[in-house]
């Protein structure tokens, strides 16, 4: 919300309070001033246009003005035609910097002398209007502009959603007055009432269909108004707040909205059928030509203001064009109503139209505000547009605002804040904010919040009121601490437990990534991993409309992106949840297994892929070992995304954790990746669950014996099977066996391969003899021959 | 049979002339060798001598041996010293030549910052609590006083799967779940995790981000305790010279509610371009837990009270590492990730 510093001065004495001071006080009170724009008009002077003629030779339309500046006349050229002779205009002389930052120079334009500039409202930062020169309604040529327009300061402030009362200058001024401890010069409820006969309620019939959607509707009748421009000071303030002046009646409704935060609307009474006001839901297929010139189609969940025949306004959002106040209007119906916040928000959203009015109604205004706003507007209309205000307006108020009382145990203030606020100070603060405080016999305070403060309902709300005016910077920072008889022992978080995996991955050259969990559902379908996908019903775009069921596709995209940016060797991983809808009830939360996934690029050849696969396997084994979990075994498998001949299920203690393998060539190709990519994705939680504290073993006291063994078998025999046989047949003396080479070629028959193993034998009781080891070796060979038809190379 | 003293002189002369350690080695073998060394040979035929002569010869031979050993050791030390004295020239390398690339991987900067935050708060006795990212309407909104139609709800515009399930808009649901699970205060927890809001991606915000929220429920907690906790956390992360201010604001789940700001690290609070001349940088929200929220978590507000706070991990990382575009964290360009 835009706040004019000058306007605040109507309500309290700002003597000695600079705009910057005011902004700081408001921010400390909870009205965050996000920017402060100072508009210094002291260098601008008033000029009177004596003559205006078009520039004869310029290609663009330009006007040459002779401007009276009090003691001399100067020639000034402008692009806008509206500074006709007799106009009073703001003039920036050569050498001045205009508030918008432009430096004015003495110059010639297409051969004509141009000494200065006639300013638009936009250039003076007095509004958005840059179409024409700002025309003043008074002032003496040669005087400073500040004799008619004071220098300005505009604050842009963020109003929290619980404080609609602060969406007007009066509410802001009330806070500022409380913060500065200065009196507020304006009462909330204006005393003004109409006097003309007959009673207004006899002139227009008001009905409300649904009190849940509209709890109050005041229709004030004012007859015989003179529609014309509003005074310069009002136009200036409206412009400063970003509102375009229209005519005095409309300007007054907007002015009061910006003052009281109560939206108002003025109808041309003569154009209302009935004349009647019917607050009802729109009928199907009703339409309304709105004030902004657009015709809008209405639906039955929208609340409208209708006359006897048709909608004339969309409640709380925008008025209709046909019943608007125009230059021909004589009699006015002034609407001051209360509409339900959710209903206005829904309508405003459905129409894609947010207005000053809807922004306020959305936050649930107090119905009592309507009368205050109506009275203020009526008094301004009577003062500035003449007309007679009728007495006893129609005021349909089916749901009167209930007064709220809150009991406060004053010690709660100190208890919650953690500092001592003297009782007199707390009471004074509440009174400054218009709370009524009654101290009861038992010391508790019976507090009546002002009618415009619907947000205060519990004692803690009152603590907040006291605290923010007292000043939270006066509350000393402390750490909680007391003797405790119960506690939760400290335990490392899940993420910290995973750090040992991150260390292994970092050491192996893998970089961690965080990728969005929302991905393209279409892509998951193309990859055939969309079976348990959860689709967002209101996505921002279709490339993030579905929760990922696997972390791998994100990493594949990371490879593609980094390849595109010139990185050939990409090794990345991510630890994040995958989301799998549960079968059955769609209202149950999905499974969110935490996954570790990693990918690495390899070269172009099948051999590159094979080597990369084994390397990645070591990385995965290293990760598992880092968590001190049992080693994984690998079983040939086929899975989506993976190469059919190069994929394994990762198994730990009989439980499948996930897959490792080379990506299927079509998957890599779909991601525009040349060459081979290896990857794995596993569930992390079972690994953590299987994690054990490592127990120290005694170091060996006797030397070990190493033997190599080259086993020739048919291609189909897996190294894993050979290892299992070796371990099984070797007995206790075999400490370690490791496969270290695979060989095909000379000395190995076609369709066969040679797999080389290193075996380490050791006894914990004695030094082994060659003869002992030879015996075990020959038992291993027998078993290998028998089970795998193996032969041996020397 | 030669004379031990003559043999000693001969040996010492040879040692004195030796130029290399290998030569000394040869001399040692020649004179002191166990089998066939010339000193040992002096003892050949000692059996035929009388006891006195035996003793005197033995003594002389031992003296010769010790003298030669001492000379060898001294000469060895001399030769070694002169050999090592040359190392600077003989084995010099170009120490300015760079080492080969390590090829190490990097831990994501958000993980690093999250880790720092967890460590700091664990040192104050807070425990990490986690919860589901796909939440129910009740935990995400209702339990936090964000009832349907509440005007504040538009700040938590969310992704829905159906009317009941949505992606959590903050990690506050974990606070409710933790209160329900732990039941008996004191409760001191933090809730790091991913969140989602329906905001179009731009330099300062994303539809997905990560938060850390904190919750303390105990007897007699105060706004001062909350301020102290935030100050301890911020100073631990950014340094002792930082200040924290709390500024009244509004959240339906806390009363009173605040935003908390940190003094700008560039100007130290004086006001500069990077803090838009405010001197303060906005970090997050905080407040005293609303009694109804405690009740929704199964905690009796008549007995206990609490404070809570929350902020974005990305925001913390941006402030700490001068990152100017939040999208960089999730774009996974290695040129960015490898800077941390």
């Amino acid at each position: 919300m835009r706040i004019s510093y000058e306007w605040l001065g109507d309500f309290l004495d700002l003597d000695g309070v600079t705009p910057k001071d005011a902004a700081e006080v408001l921010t400390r009170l909870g009205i965050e001033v996000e920017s402060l724009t100072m508009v210094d008009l002291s260098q601008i002077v008033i000029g009177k246009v004596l003559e205006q003629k078009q520039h004869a030779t310029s290609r663009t339309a330009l006007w040459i003005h002779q401007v009276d500046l009090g003691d001399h006349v100067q020639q000034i050229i402008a692009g806008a035609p509206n500074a006709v002779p007799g106009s009073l205009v703001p003039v920036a002389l050569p050498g001045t910097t205009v508030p918008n930052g432009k430096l004015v120079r003495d110059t010639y334009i297409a051969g004509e002398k141009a000494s200065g500039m006639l300013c638009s409202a936009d250039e003076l930062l007095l509004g958005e209007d840059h179409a024409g020169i700002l025309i003043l309604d008074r002032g003496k040529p040669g005087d400073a502009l500040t004799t008619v327009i004071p220098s300005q300061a505009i604050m842009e402030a963020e109003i929290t959603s619980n404080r609609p009362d602060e969406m007007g200058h009066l509410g802001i001024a009330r806070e500022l007055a409380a913060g500065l401890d200065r009196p507020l010069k304006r009462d909330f409820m204006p005393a003004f009432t109409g006097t003309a006969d007959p009673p207004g309620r006899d002139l227009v019939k008001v009905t409300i269909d649904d009190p849940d959607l509209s709890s109050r509707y005041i229709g004030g009748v004012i007859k015989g108004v003179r529609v014309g421009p509003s005074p310069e000071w009002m136009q200036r303030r409206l412009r400063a707040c970003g509102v375009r002046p229209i005519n005095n009646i409309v300007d007054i409704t907007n002015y009061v909205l910006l003052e009281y935060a109560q939206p108002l609307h003025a109808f041309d009474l003569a154009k209302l059928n009935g004349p009647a006001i019917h607050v009802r839901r729109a009928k199907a297929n009703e339409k309304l030509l709105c004030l902004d010139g657009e015709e809008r189609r209405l639906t039955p969940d929208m609340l409208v203001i209708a006359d006897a025949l048709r909608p004339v306004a969309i409640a709380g959002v925008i008025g209709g064009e046909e019943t608007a106040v125009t230059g021909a209007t004589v009699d006015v119906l002034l609407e001051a109503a209360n509409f339900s916040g959710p209903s206005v928000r829904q309508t405003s959203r459905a129409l894609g139209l947010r207005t000053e009015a809807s922004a306020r109604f959305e936050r649930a205004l107090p119905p009592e505000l309507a009368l205050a706003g109506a009275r203020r507007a009526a008094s301004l209309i009577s003062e500035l547009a003449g007309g007679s205000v009728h007495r006893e307006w129609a005021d349909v108020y089916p749901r009167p605002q209930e007064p709220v009382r809150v009991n406060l145990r004053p010690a709660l203030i100190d208890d919650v804040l953690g500092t001592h606020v003297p009782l007199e100070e707390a009471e004074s603060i509440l009174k400054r904010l218009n709370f009524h405080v009654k101290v009861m016999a038992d010391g508790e305070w019976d507090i009546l919040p002002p009618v415009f403060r619907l947000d205060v309902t519990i004692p803690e709300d009152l603590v907040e009121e006291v605290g923010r005016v007292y000043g939270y910077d006066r509350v000393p920072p402390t750490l909680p601490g007391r003797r405790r008889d119960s506690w939760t022992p400290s335990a490392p978080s899940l993420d910290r437990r995973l750090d040992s995996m991150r260390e292994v991955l970092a050491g192996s050259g893998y970089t961690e990534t965080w990728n969005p969990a929302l991905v393209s559902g279409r892509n998951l379908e193309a990859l055939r991993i969309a079976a348990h996908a959860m689709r967002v019903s209101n996505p921002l775009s279709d490339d993030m409309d579905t929760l990922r069921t696997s972390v791998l596709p994100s990493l594949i995209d990371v490879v593609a992106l980094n390849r595109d940016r010139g990185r050939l060797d990409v090794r990345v991983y991510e630890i994040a949840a995958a989301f799998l809808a549960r079968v059955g009830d769609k209202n149950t939360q999905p499974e969110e297994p935490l996954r570790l996934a990693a990918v690495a690029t390899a070269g172009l050849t099948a051999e590159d892929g094979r080597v990369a696969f084994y390397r990645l396997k070591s990385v995965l084994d290293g990760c598992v070992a880092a968590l001190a979990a049992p080693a994984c075994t690998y079983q040939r498998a086929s899975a989506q995304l993976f190469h059919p001949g190069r994929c394994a299920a990762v198994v730990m203690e009989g439980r499948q954790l996930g897959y490792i393998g080379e990506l299927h060539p079509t998957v890599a190709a779909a991601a525009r990746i040349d060459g081979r990519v290896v990857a794995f994705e596993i569930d992390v939680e079972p690994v953590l669950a299987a994690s054990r504290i490592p127990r120290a073993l005694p170091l060996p006291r006797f030397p070990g014996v190493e033997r190599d063994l080259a086993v020739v078998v048919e291609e189909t025999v897996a190294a894993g099977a050979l290892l299992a046989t070796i371990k099984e047949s070797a007995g206790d003396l075999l400490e370690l066996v490791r496969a270290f080479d695979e060989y095909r070629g000379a000395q190995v028959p076609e369709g066969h391969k040679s797999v080389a193993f290193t075996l380490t034998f050791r006894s914990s009781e004695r030094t082994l003899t060659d003869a002992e080891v030879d015996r075990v070796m020959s038992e291993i060979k027998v078993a290998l021959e028998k089970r795998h038809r193996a032969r041996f190379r020397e | 049979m030669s004379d031990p003293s003559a043999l000693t002189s001969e040996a010492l002369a040879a040692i004195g002339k030796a130029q290399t350690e290998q030569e000394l080695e040869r001399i040692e073998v020649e004179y002191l060798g166990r089998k066939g060394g010339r000193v040992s040979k002096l003892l050949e035929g000692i059996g035929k001598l009388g006891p006195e002569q035996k003793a005197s010869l033995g003594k002389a031979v031992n003296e010769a041996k010790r003298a030669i050993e001492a000379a060898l050791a001294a000469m060895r030390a001399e030769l070694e010293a002169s050999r090592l004295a040359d190392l600077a020239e003989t084995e010099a390398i170009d120490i300015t030549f760079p080492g080969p690339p390590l090829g190490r991987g990097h831990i994501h900067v958000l993980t690093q910052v999250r880790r720092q935050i967890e460590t700091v708060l664990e040192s104050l006795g807070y425990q990490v609590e986690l919860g589901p990212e796909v939440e129910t309407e009740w935990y995400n909104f209702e339990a936090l006083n964000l009832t349907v139609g509440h005007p504040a709800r538009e700040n938590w515009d969310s992704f829905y799967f159906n009317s009941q399930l949505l992606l959590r808009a903050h990690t506050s649901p974990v606070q409710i779940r933790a209160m329900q699970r732990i039941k008996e205060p004191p409760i001191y927890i933090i809730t790091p995790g991913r969140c989602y809001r329906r905001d179009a991606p731009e330099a300062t915000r994303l539809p997905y981000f990560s938060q850390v929220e904190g919750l303390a429920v105990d007897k007699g907690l105060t706004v001062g305790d909350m301020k102290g906790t935030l100050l301890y956390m911020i100073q631990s992360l950014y340094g002792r010279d930082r200040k924290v201010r709390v500024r009244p604001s509004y959240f339906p789940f806390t009363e009173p509610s605040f935003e908390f700001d940190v003094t700008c690290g560039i100007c130290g609070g004086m006001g500069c371009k990077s803090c838009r001349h405010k001197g303060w940088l906005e970090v997050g929200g905080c407040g005293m837990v609303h009694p109804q929220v405690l009740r929704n978590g199964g905690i009796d507000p008549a007995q206990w009270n609490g404070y809570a706070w929350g902020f974005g991990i990305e925001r913390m990382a941006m402030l700490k590492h001068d990152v100017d575009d939040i999208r960089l964290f999730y774009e996974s360009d290695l040129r960015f990730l490898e800077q941390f």
Side-chain angles (χ1 to χ4, degrees):
Chain A
M1 136 125 192
R2 260 197 237 177
I3 304 166
S4 153
Y5 172 80
E6 172 214 356
W7 198 337
L8 296 177
D10 283 11
F11 309 117
L12 79 156
D13 177 12
L14 288 174
D15 196 27
V17 181
T18 65
K20 196 160 182 279
D21 297 339
E24 265 168 30
V25 171
L26 290 173
T27 298
R28 275 199 283 112
L29 288 168
I31 299 168
E32 190 192 355
V33 176
E34 290 177 325
S35 66
L36 173 63
T37 310
M38 304 294 292
V39 182
D40 179 7
L41 301 177
S42 61
Q43 303 303 306
I44 312 293
V45 295
I46 300 170
K48 185 173 187 175
V49 178
L50 302 175
E51 248 183 78
Q52 185 193 36
K53 65 170 191 202
Q54 191 152 11
H55 195 296
T57 54
S58 163
R59 281 216 243 140
T60 51
L62 289 177
W63 278 264
I64 301 170
H65 304 83
Q66 304 303 322
V67 182
D68 174 9
L69 292 168
D71 52 357
H72 69 289
V73 173
Q74 206 148 298
Q75 174 165 307
I76 301 175
I77 298 180
N82 68 323
V84 296
S87 303
L88 287 168
V89 290
V91 177
L93 292 171
T96 4
T97 303
V98 187
N100 77 346
K102 194 191 279 181
L103 174 66
V104 179
R105 287 199 175 82
D106 216 352
T107 180
Y108 285 85
I109 299 175
E112 289 283 353
K113 174 101 178 137
S115 296
M117 185 174 98
L118 307 184
C119 306
S120 68
D122 178 45
E123 283 156 339
L124 297 177
L125 301 183
L126 294 175
E128 264 86 68
D129 191 357
H130 53 84
I133 310 299
L134 178 67
I135 308 296
L136 308 171
D137 62 353
R138 65 204 156 94
K140 195 166 144 270
D143 280 2
L145 180 61
T146 48
T147 57
V148 296
I149 303 180
S151 287
Q152 312 266 308
I154 303 297
M155 299 175 227
E156 189 68 55
E158 172 131 0
I159 309 296
T160 55
S161 66
N162 60 328
R163 294 296 302 274
D165 61 300
E166 289 174 348
M167 294 186 83
H169 282 74
L170 179 57
I172 301 282
R174 188 182 303 115
E175 294 284 313
L176 191 56
L180 294 167
D181 198 5
R182 292 188 181 192
L184 191 70
K185 295 192 269 187
R186 176 84 64 85
D187 284 338
F188 169 69
M189 188 58 75
F192 180 91
T193 51
T195 51
D197 273 320
R201 61 168 185 264
D202 295 344
L203 297 174
V204 58
K205 185 174 171 300
V206 174
T207 42
I208 295 175
D209 276 6
D210 187 346
D212 285 343
L213 299 183
S214 174
S215 60
R216 188 175 200 180
Y217 194 101
I218 298 171
V221 174
I222 305 165
K223 290 198 169 181
V225 298
R226 288 181 309 278
V227 178
S230 56
E232 188 277 332
W233 59 266
M234 181 176 279
Q235 295 198 22
R236 181 177 78 231
R237 287 179 175 182
L238 291 177
R239 280 200 199 92
C241 294
V243 174
R244 193 163 53 94
I246 306 222
N247 61 44
N248 50 4
I249 304 295
V250 173
D251 289 358
I252 287 166
T253 61
N254 285 329
Y255 187 81
V256 174
L257 171 140
L258 294 174
E259 200 171 64
Y260 275 79
Q262 170 65 42
L264 300 166
H265 185 67
F267 294 104
D268 185 332
L269 186 58
K271 291 178 185 159
L272 290 177
N273 296 292
I277 288 293
H278 186 190
V279 184
R280 60 163 170 85
R281 285 170 185 275
K283 295 169 189 164
N285 298 323
E286 272 184 330
K287 285 180 207 160
L288 178 69
L289 179 62
C290 297
L291 277 171
D292 59 359
E294 258 193 64
E295 187 178 73
R296 292 191 168 79
R297 186 179 290 279
L298 309 173
T299 60
D301 44 12
M302 295 175 184
L303 191 69
V304 296
I305 313 304
D307 64 9
L309 298 176
R310 58 184 175 152
V312 291
I314 303 172
V317 182
I318 194 168
E321 177 70 33
E322 288 172 37
T323 51
V325 171
T326 65
T329 300
V330 180
D331 300 337
V332 165
L333 180 76
L334 179 67
E335 167 193 297
N338 191 277
F339 304 116
S340 124
S343 158
V344 170
R345 183 178 321 113
Q346 197 188 354
T347 303
S348 147
R349 284 220 170 177
L351 296 172
L353 178 65
R354 201 154 189 269
T355 59
E356 294 281 351
S358 73
R360 285 167 177 78
F361 279 125
E362 277 182 9
R363 298 178 173 200
L365 294 172
E368 286 298 309
L369 194 57
L371 184 62
R375 284 186 174 181
R376 171 70 173 144
S379 80
L380 280 171
I381 291 174
S382 138
E383 184 188 329
L384 302 174
S388 45
V389 180
H390 283 250
R391 64 188 177 91
E392 289 177 51
W393 294 334
D395 182 357
V396 180
Y397 196 3
R399 290 277 163 84
Q401 184 178 327
E402 306 237 346
V404 178
R405 301 195 92 85
V406 186
N407 258 27
L408 176 69
R409 182 175 56 83
L412 185 71
I413 297 169
D414 289 2
D415 288 353
V416 170
L417 296 184
T419 193
H420 177 59
V421 181
L423 285 187
E424 318 79 72
E425 192 170 355
E427 193 179 339
S428 150
I429 287 169
L430 289 171
K431 285 179 172 165
R432 278 185 252 159
L433 291 167
N434 291 37
F435 287 76
H436 185 86
V437 182
K438 195 170 116 194
V439 180
M440 296 190 294
D442 60 359
E444 294 217 351
W445 292 1
D446 177 27
I447 292 174
L448 186 67
V451 289
F452 45 82
R453 291 297 302 275
L454 295 180
D455 58 304
V456 176
T457 55
I458 60 171
E460 284 78 1
D461 292 325
L462 294 164
V463 174
E464 170 157 55
E465 294 304 304
V466 173
R468 68 195 181 89
V469 178
Y470 176 78
Y472 287 114
D473 45 355
R474 292 165 73 187
V475 175
T478 49
L479 282 179
R482 55 186 199 87
R483 290 177 193 284
R484 291 191 194 140
D485 55 8
S486 67
W487 56 80
T488 317
S490 178
S493 72
L494 176 79
D495 206 52
R496 298 293 62 78
R497 294 181 70 194
L498 297 177
D499 279 344
S500 51
M501 285 200 323
R502 290 191 173 95
E503 285 161 12
V504 169
L505 286 154
S508 310
Y510 285 74
T511 290
E512 186 180 23
T513 60
W514 286 38
N515 299 297
L518 283 171
V519 298
S520 151
R522 206 181 320 130
N523 190 39
L524 293 186
E525 272 160 30
L527 294 170
R528 296 163 181 267
I529 51 172
H532 296 278
M534 308 249 315
R535 198 171 280 263
V536 172
S537 62
N538 58 339
L540 277 173
S541 65
D542 59 7
D543 61 352
M544 32 182 200
D545 63 355
T546 304
L547 279 175
R548 53 184 172 177
T549 55
S550 159
V551 178
L552 271 187
S554 307
L555 293 177
I556 295 169
D557 289 345
V558 171
V559 169
L561 175 121
N562 282 285
R563 279 276 175 101
D564 283 351
R565 296 181 182 180
R567 181 70 68 105
L568 293 178
D569 178 25
V570 181
R571 274 172 287 171
V572 285
Y573 73 98
E574 181 173 9
I575 300 171
F579 299 85
L580 302 171
R582 290 177 209 269
V583 191
D585 187 0
K586 70 180 178 70
N587 284 338
T588 14
Q589 289 166 269
E591 287 181 66
E592 299 185 12
L594 189 66
R595 299 275 178 80
L596 164 66
V599 302
T601 52
L604 296 168
T605 68
E607 176 60 14
D608 293 335
R610 191 183 73 89
V611 170
F613 173 90
Y614 295 126
R615 242 186 237 145
L616 185 67
K617 224 174 128 179
S618 292
V619 173
L620 176 51
D621 286 338
C623 287
V624 169
L627 290 179
C632 291
T633 57
Y634 297 87
Q635 293 166 6
R636 180 170 292 283
S638 65
Q640 283 307 324
L641 309 181
F642 287 101
H643 187 300
R646 298 181 165 196
C647 173
V650 182
V651 178
M652 178 183 288
E653 294 184 326
R655 176 175 178 162
Q656 183 170 325
L657 301 181
Y659 295 100
I660 183 169
E662 191 177 313
L663 289 186
H664 198 287
T666 59
V667 171
R672 308 176 325 278
I673 302 170
D674 288 338
R676 309 218 166 220
V677 180
V678 289
F680 71 77
E681 176 164 6
I682 59 160
D683 284 325
V684 167
E685 278 138 324
V687 182
L688 282 172
S691 167
R692 299 281 176 269
I693 297 171
R695 302 285 169 198
L697 293 172
L699 295 178
R701 290 170 53 212
F702 299 97
V705 178
E706 273 194 13
R707 294 287 173 87
D708 283 356
L709 180 64
V711 185
V712 178
V713 287
E714 286 172 23
E715 279 289 358
T716 52
V717 179
L722 297 174
L723 282 167
T725 303
I726 292 171
K727 284 179 192 165
E728 210 174 288
S729 55
D732 297 343
L733 296 182
L734 179 67
E735 184 183 67
L736 184 76
V737 55
R738 195 167 59 81
F740 70 90
D741 186 37
E742 219 187 17
Y743 170 79
R744 292 167 186 79
Q747 301 167 24
V748 176
E750 190 67 23
H752 287 64
K753 63 183 175 187
S754 163
V755 187
F757 299 91
T758 295
L759 298 87
T760 309
F761 298 92
R762 195 194 302 273
S763 160
S764 58
E765 285 146 16
R766 59 185 187 284
T767 303
L768 293 178
T769 62
D770 278 349
E772 271 178 295
V773 175
D774 287 344
R775 257 200 316 280
V776 181
M777 283 298 287
S778 62
E779 271 164 36
I780 291 171
K781 285 181 176 175
V782 168
L784 287 170
E785 267 173 345
K786 212 160 115 192
R787 214 172 290 172
H788 307 291
R789 289 196 286 162
R791 277 171 300 146
F792 306 96
R793 291 201 310 145
E794 290 313 318
Chain B
M1 210 164 92
S2 63
D3 168 14
S5 68
L7 191 63
T8 306
S9 318
E10 191 190 328
L12 293 188
I15 291 168
K17 275 184 248 157
Q19 295 295 315
T20 66
E21 286 169 83
Q22 288 79 6
E23 259 177 82
L24 285 182
E25 197 78 24
R26 267 201 319 276
I27 295 168
E28 185 172 11
V29 172
E30 181 185 344
Y31 290 92
L32 302 180
R34 210 169 271 194
K35 291 177 185 170
R38 289 173 64 188
V39 176
S40 315
K41 274 190 180 149
L42 290 175
L43 294 176
E44 275 173 10
I46 195 167
K48 293 172 210 151
L49 296 179
E52 256 171 52
Q53 284 165 308
K54 235 184 212 173
S56 94
L57 180 62
K59 196 178 164 205
V61 166
N62 270 338
E63 271 165 16
K65 202 166 162 188
R66 265 201 294 278
I68 295 168
E69 272 169 355
L72 277 169
M75 196 60 189
R76 269 212 184 93
E78 204 172 296
L79 284 175
E80 187 176 7
S82 79
R83 178 171 57 83
L84 291 178
D86 290 346
L87 275 183
E89 289 100 57
T90 54
E91 296 190 7
I93 59 169
D94 177 1
I95 48 78
T96 66
F97 195 87
L102 201 53
R104 77 170 171 110
H106 295 253
I107 291 175
H108 198 284
V109 60
L110 293 180
T111 301
Q112 295 181 36
V113 172
R114 173 174 167 172
R115 189 190 286 182
Q116 289 155 10
I117 294 164
E118 284 188 11
T119 306
V120 167
L121 288 159
E122 277 168 0
S123 74
L124 284 183
Y126 289 79
Q127 298 269 321
V128 172
E129 283 281 328
L130 303 174
E133 292 174 33
V134 176
E135 262 298 356
T136 65
E137 172 83 11
W138 191 83
Y139 279 104
N140 193 66
F141 286 131
E142 304 283 325
L144 296 157
N145 279 348
L146 280 155
T147 43
V148 175
H150 196 292
R153 242 175 125 150
E154 69 181 52
N155 297 326
W156 287 268
D157 190 7
S158 298
F159 292 109
Y160 280 85
F161 298 98
N162 55 49
S163 63
Q164 285 311 303
L165 286 187
L166 71 165
L167 278 165
R168 67 179 177 193
H170 39 198
T171 59
S172 313
V174 187
Q175 296 190 21
I176 304 290
R177 288 179 182 277
M179 285 191 273
Q180 290 177 337
R181 185 180 65 71
I182 299 169
K183 292 191 180 79
E184 280 295 310
I187 296 171
Y188 287 86
I189 58 159
I190 51 170
T191 63
R194 295 201 191 206
C195 308
Y196 306 82
R197 285 182 204 167
R198 223 174 150 275
D199 297 324
E202 51 182 75
T204 53
R205 62 181 181 186
L206 277 175
Y208 36 82
F209 59 99
S210 305
Q211 269 195 333
V212 175
E213 291 188 345
L215 169 72
V217 182
D218 205 335
K219 282 201 158 69
L221 296 176
T222 67
V223 170
D225 293 338
M226 181 191 78
K227 275 181 73 175
T229 304
L230 295 173
L231 187 60
Y232 176 88
M233 178 182 80
I234 290 297
Q235 291 187 340
S236 303
L237 293 169
Y238 295 109
R240 282 201 87 104
D241 53 332
R242 295 298 184 107
K243 293 187 189 72
V244 167
R245 82 170 173 190
V246 297
R247 196 159 37 74
S249 187
Y250 172 67
F251 304 108
F253 34 80
T254 45
E255 190 62 51
S257 301
F258 309 88
E259 309 254 14
F260 69 98
D261 301 339
V262 179
T263 43
C264 172
I266 291 169
C267 62
M270 302 301 289
C272 67
K273 218 170 149 186
S274 97
C275 58
R276 292 195 292 151
H277 306 284
K278 288 178 176 176
W280 295 95
L281 299 164
E282 207 173 306
V283 177
C286 56
M288 304 304 289
V289 183
H290 195 286
Q292 185 56 43
V293 172
L294 289 176
R295 247 174 253 129
N296 292 341
I299 307 284
D300 176 9
Q303 280 197 59
W304 309 96
N305 75 343
Y307 57 83
W309 74 91
F311 55 82
I313 299 180
E314 293 84 357
R315 175 89 181 133
M316 286 298 220
M318 289 168 91
L319 294 183
K320 182 155 189 147
H321 299 289
D322 293 333
V323 178
D324 59 4
D325 190 332
I326 193 173
R327 289 170 292 198
L328 287 166
F329 295 118
Y330 291 89
E331 193 187 16
S332 299
D333 187 322
L334 289 171
R335 294 170 302 179
F336 173 73
L337 299 175
E338 287 170 357
Q339 293 174 32
F340 304 98

